[in-house]
Amino acid sequence: MIIFENLNSKAVLKLHNLYFKPFISSREIDEAIQKMVEEISADMGDEVPVFVGILNGSFMFVSDFVKKYPKPCEVTFIKLASYEGLKSSEDIHRLIGLTQDLTDRKVIILEDIIDSGKTLAEVYRIFKNEKVKELKIATLFYKPEAYKKDFKLHYVGIKIPNKFIVGYGLDYNGLGRDIPEVYQLKTTQHMKNLVLFGPPGAGKGTQAEFLKEKYNLVHISTGDVFRYNIKNETALGMLAKSFMDKGELVPDKVTIDMLNAEVEKNSDAEGFIFDGFPRTEAQAQALDELMDSKDSEISAMIALEVDDEVLVKRLIERGKTSGRPDDSDEIIIRNRIKEYYDKTAILKNYYSGKDKYFGVNGVGEIQEITDRLCKVIDRL
Ligand code: AMP
């Protein structure tokens, strides 16, 4: 089954159980083929070459290639079928096709992709007995890091890293050959990444505890990480403390580096709940870049909306037991709330602009609020 989703305005392709991201556009493929055609036709001179495509993967490449080829040529296909041997692990290859006489002809193999070079070795073995004038190899895609053979590759279209690709003739378990562009397997599969947003005292921490269990996510609260560092008297803690005690934001650079490190620590997570981050536009951009480097993205910002006076009351209550210095003083509390609206409300626009902002009423019973949040998340 193929599903196209529009995440972050990028199409994500799903084939069977795996997700792929766009990698090489039709235009890039077209340009690479055009260059190969020019090189090969110059080398062939007046000779009429025989192009031999290796099925199944090369059908699209061969078709586009010969349409561009400016002089007369012949086209044929061969298919290598591999069977597991009963005793040995050696593949047994069988040749399907190649019925025509290639004696004294210039033959050019057209391959869609060369990675380990195993197929290529087989092709060479097959052509050893044909009395061709010349055998040359042309491949549209080539994975230098994976190539283990010594055969010369005469014409290479596009070099690619050693990652699984589909599209333009290439398949994953039968699917994807028909797609005109090339997609690459995402390094992280489908993650759910939520930004839990709201003023201090909105109940982000409480709700995050429920959500991380329900959706199997890693909860990162930047405030908690800072407090942990302060308690353990680390350099980061000492640096953060002076800002936190006044209810001010810790400088972006410090916070962003710290968050990157937290995400790296959990590189196999199915997704994250970011709580207390981002708080500035620079942090939001840094988070987008970080997610992008993981082949992922922020799915939604969900904001708990709570009236200021309710917040102040809640925080003063919490201060009686939490031991947090920034919860005990009403002036500092009001400064944190003000700081939130002054600096961080801008994020509402940031995520609204990407259609990723969801406001949720944060007043009521805890369970009631959790239900409201789940309704939003389940629809993502
Ligand atoms: P919180 O527990 O989220 O209310 O955060 C407590 C304090 O930690 C804040 O008032 C800031 O001083 C600091 N802090 C937490 N997250 C951030 C952030 N993303 N950027 C800057 N400072 C932060």
Side-chain angles (χ1 to χ4, degrees), residues 26-234:
S26 303
R27 218 186 90 205
E28 288 169 287
I29 295 171
D30 204 64
E31 286 169 2
I33 296 176
Q34 185 60 45
K35 264 181 74 186
M36 293 175 84
V37 163
E38 284 162 20
E39 246 183 287
I40 292 172
S41 67
D43 285 356
M44 288 302 115
D46 292 332
E47 193 110 16
V48 177
V50 184
F51 293 116
V52 180
I54 313 291
L55 291 174
N56 292 323
S58 75
F59 75 95
M60 238 189 230
F61 170 43
V62 174
S63 162
D64 284 345
F65 181 95
V66 295
K67 274 184 269 177
K68 290 182 194 298
Y69 198 76
K71 291 178 282 187
C73 63
E74 289 179 32
V75 193
T76 186
F77 288 91
I78 59 172
K79 183 165 179 160
L80 301 172
S82 62
Y83 301 91
E84 285 293 310
L86 285 178
K87 291 196 189 108
S88 77
S89 61
E90 283 272 291
D91 284 352
I92 300 163
H93 286 91
R94 196 179 64 175
L95 174 65
I96 302 168
L98 199 57
T99 43
Q100 94 210 63
D101 182 16
L102 295 174
T103 307
D104 259 350
R105 302 297 304 271
K106 285 195 173 183
V107 173
I108 302 195
I109 303 294
L110 294 183
E111 258 286 35
D112 45 338
I113 184 162
I114 290 183
D115 44 34
S116 71
K118 206 168 143 197
T119 308
L120 191 59
E122 200 54 30
V123 167
Y124 265 104
R125 197 183 63 76
I126 289 161
F127 278 86
K128 217 168 53 196
N129 303 325
E130 306 287 324
K131 295 177 180 58
V132 300
K133 188 196 267 178
E134 184 176 87
L135 180 69
K136 284 192 163 176
I137 309 296
T139 184
L140 178 57
F141 303 117
Y142 170 48
K143 291 181 179 175
E145 295 155 35
Y147 192 54
K148 295 200 180 65
K149 307 281 184 199
D150 296 324
F151 304 112
K152 183 174 160 66
L153 308 179
H154 303 85
Y155 308 99
V156 172
I158 302 173
K159 285 186 191 161
I160 59 170
N162 193 9
K163 286 195 182 156
F164 190 74
I165 59 169
V166 293
Y168 201 75
L170 295 151
D171 75 312
Y172 164 55
N173 271 353
L175 292 180
R177 292 195 198 278
D178 53 323
I179 296 164
E181 303 90 27
V182 169
Y183 282 70
Q184 187 182 58
L185 184 65
K186 276 164 57 105
T187 40
T188 52
Q189 287 294 301
H190 207 48
M191 292 170 94
K192 204 167 241 178
N193 299 308
L194 308 173
V195 172
L196 201 54
F197 196 55
K204 299 187 294 284
T206 308
Q207 293 300 333
E209 285 306 307
F210 292 109
L211 299 178
K212 78 172 192 195
E213 289 302 324
K214 177 155 186 198
Y215 297 100
N216 202 15
L217 305 173
V218 172
H219 173 211
I220 299 179
S221 153
T222 39
D224 284 351
V225 179
F226 282 135
R227 279 185 288 277
Y228 176 86
N229 278 277
I230 290 172
K231 206 171 119 209
N232 290 285
E233 297 182 339
T234 66

Side-chain angles (χ1 to χ4, degrees), residues 198-201 204 221-224 226-227 240-241 243-252 255-256 258-259 275-280 283 315 318 324 326-327 336 339 344:
K204 299 187 294 284
S221 153
T222 39
D224 284 351
F226 282 135
R227 279 185 288 277
K241 188 171 176 2
F243 299 96
M244 287 175 72
D245 282 351
K246 286 181 275 179
E248 289 168 9
L249 292 187
V250 176
D252 275 347
T255 313
I256 290 168
M258 190 263 295
L259 184 98
D275 160 5
F277 190 98
R279 269 175 150 105
T280 65
Q283 291 182 9
L315 288 171
R318 183 168 84 181
R324 280 177 59 166
D326 58 351
D327 278 351
R336 282 165 61 206
E339 177 96 40
T344 59

Side-chain angles (χ1 to χ4, degrees), residues 321-340:
T321 53
S322 73
R324 280 177 59 166
D326 58 351
D327 278 351
S328 53
D329 185 313
E330 187 170 333
I331 295 173
I332 293 176
I333 289 174
R334 289 199 185 270
N335 189 39
R336 282 165 61 206
I337 297 174
K338 184 176 173 309
E339 177 96 40
Y340 170 80

Side-chain angles (χ1 to χ4, degrees), residues 8 187-188 191 193 220 255-265 272 274 277 282-298 350:
N8 227 356
T187 40
T188 52
M191 292 170 94
N193 299 308
I220 299 179
T255 313
I256 290 168
D257 287 351
M258 190 263 295
L259 184 98
N260 285 356
E262 287 299 308
V263 169
E264 288 308 330
K265 269 193 227 163
F272 293 94
F274 297 103
F277 190 98
Q283 291 182 9
Q285 281 162 359
L287 186 59
D288 277 350
E289 281 166 30
L290 178 66
M291 291 293 108
D292 205 48
S293 75
K294 307 257 162 268
D295 277 351
S296 195
E297 61 280 302
I298 293 297
Y350 185 88

